[in-house]
DNA sequence: GTCATCATGTAATCTGTTACATGATTTC
DNA sequence: GAAATCATGTAACAGATTACATGATGAC
């Protein structure tokens, strides 16, 4: 039975799948785990987590089991399925899957894929950032001496500074990964 | 008559107000103007622009007038009202207004406010970034030598690199603004 | 006695995107 | 003859947030 992946999954769904790939968790725990790990680059509302989890179950990507507790409210613990792992891995390995801002999230889950995949993704994104930087530089030449565009120039330089930092970071990481 | 600002305006609404503060435009033109100016930091879908404009009119922040054309489809040209300018300026000057990612957009419109306001905003945000950086550094110490957190460490270093670039940029701009 | 933590969710709302729909005119 | 530009919008949907609702327990 080929359970097709109907719609492509949202960032939140994939991030949750990723966290579940390290071990089973309840919604409540996932919120905590997310905050303590990916928190600074992805932190969903708890209601969103609770909304997503049942969808993962109906999509066959996770299973749920009820855990009754005496002193605490009952939990619903979610565990990733084999299909869930497959879908997550496909997403991780597909350089074009998902919105472009998933770069860091995928990188965060780098342990779940091969070093070559990670290197390829960084190189790919690096080329994009380099192209953006070149474009910014060409705009810079037009704006630099135009007093009325001063604040446009200031924001542009922000973009340039960030892009340059990005490239330096990428080169450092790529050099490191080459030694692994 | 105190026409209260009911809900606070969305980024798109404010950005459009900002563009209109330079002169009247149709929806179609706004899309072009946006792309050619703020494009690299904010670029809405055209359907969104068309959805927002009538709302600005009903909120009393802009007026519309029909411009019949012979060779081209008729236009609807929007012009900012005095109240619209006030609302836009309030937003520009309020350091806490709007979502945190409006920093660059507000900076882009720096010409529409005083240098002191701009300086204050940069300084304010600079302090936040510095605090974030300090936090990242403290996490770094915990993660640095933990092989299983390697990719968390890599993404963290991305954040550190960006934050450092941010601070350098801010210092450069602040020095420049001090000479104005 | 009060507050944080554990634990789950619904409902309403917002912000925004993509796809669809139309059609004349100018440029190559 | 084809493609880009001018010009406006609707409809559907996606993705996510905030506010609301509940309630026991453990720590201070």
């Amino acid at each position: 039975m080929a359970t097709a992946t109907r719609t492509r999954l949202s960032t939140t769904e994939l991030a949750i799948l990723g966290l579940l790939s390290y071990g089973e968790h309840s919604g409540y725990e996932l919120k905590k785990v997310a905050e303590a790990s990916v928190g600074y680059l992805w932190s969903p509302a708890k209601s969103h987590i609770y909304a997503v989890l049942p969808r993962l179950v109906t999509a066959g990507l996770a299973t749920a089991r009820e855990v009754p507790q005496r002193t605490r409210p009952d939990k619903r613990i979610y565990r990733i399925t084999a299909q869930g792992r497959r879908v997550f891995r496909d997403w991780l390995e597909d350089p074009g899957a998902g919105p472009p801002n998933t770069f860091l999230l995928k990188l965060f889950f780098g342990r779940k894929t091969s070093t070559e995949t990670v290197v390829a993704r960084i190189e790919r994104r690096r080329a994009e950032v380099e192209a953006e930087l070149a474009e910014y530089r060409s705009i810079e030449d037009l704006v630099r001496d135009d007093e009325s565009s001063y604040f446009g120039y200031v924001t542009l330089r922000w973009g340039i500074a960030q892009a340059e930092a990005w490239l330096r970071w990428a080169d450092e990481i790529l050099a490191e990964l080459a030694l692994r």
Side-chain angles (χ1 to χ4, degrees), chain A:
Chain A
M1 178 190 63
T3 312
T5 310
R6 275 128 229 276
T7 357
R8 64 142 98 71
L9 298 167
S10 72
T11 307
T12 301
E13 287 165 330
L14 285 155
I16 288 178
L17 271 188
L19 291 179
L20 287 179
S21 76
Y22 292 111
E24 50 176 27
H25 287 293
S26 71
Y28 188 85
E29 287 161 7
L30 279 167
K31 175 73 180 153
K32 301 280 151 183
V33 170
E35 246 147 45
S37 57
V38 270
Y40 57 96
L41 56 91
W42 170 80
S43 67
K46 69 175 169 45
S47 63
H48 199 189
I49 293 177
Y50 285 119
V52 158
L53 285 169
R55 264 188 278 157
L56 292 181
V57 173
T58 45
L61 307 176
T63 55
R65 80 190 148 87
E66 212 86 11
V67 176
Q69 299 189 118
R70 272 157 308 141
T71 82
R72 291 290 181 192
D74 296 353
K75 299 180 177 196
R76 197 159 292 155
I77 299 224
Y78 294 85
R79 179 196 287 263
I80 192 169
T81 62
Q83 209 208 330
R85 284 185 199 277
R86 228 177 297 133
V87 166
F88 179 67
R89 193 155 298 193
D90 286 351
W91 170 76
L92 251 196
E93 275 160 23
D94 182 352
N101 59 332
T102 46
F103 174 81
L104 284 176
L105 197 59
K106 287 191 180 187
L107 188 56
F108 179 85
F109 289 115
R111 201 157 52 116
K112 295 286 168 182
T113 187
S114 66
T115 304
E116 301 89 73
T117 303
V118 172
V119 167
R121 184 182 342 289
I122 298 178
E123 278 171 348
R124 191 192 151 100
R125 181 77 191 120
R126 195 196 179 286
E128 287 169 12
V129 172
E130 203 157 35
E132 280 167 29
L133 180 57
E135 207 200 314
Y136 293 167
R137 286 252 164 77
S138 70
I139 302 175
E140 197 186 7
D141 292 336
L142 300 171
V143 184
R144 173 174 272 137
D145 299 313
D146 175 17
E147 178 54 30
S148 72
S149 311
Y150 176 70
F151 287 102
Y153 180 42
V154 163
T155 54
L156 190 66
R157 277 157 71 194
W158 180 89
I160 291 172
Q162 297 292 306
E164 285 173 342
W166 207 102
L167 295 180
R168 277 193 303 271
W169 167 84
D171 290 337
E172 219 177 288
I173 303 301
L174 286 171
E176 232 173 78
L177 288 173
L179 300 175
R180 293 199 127 213

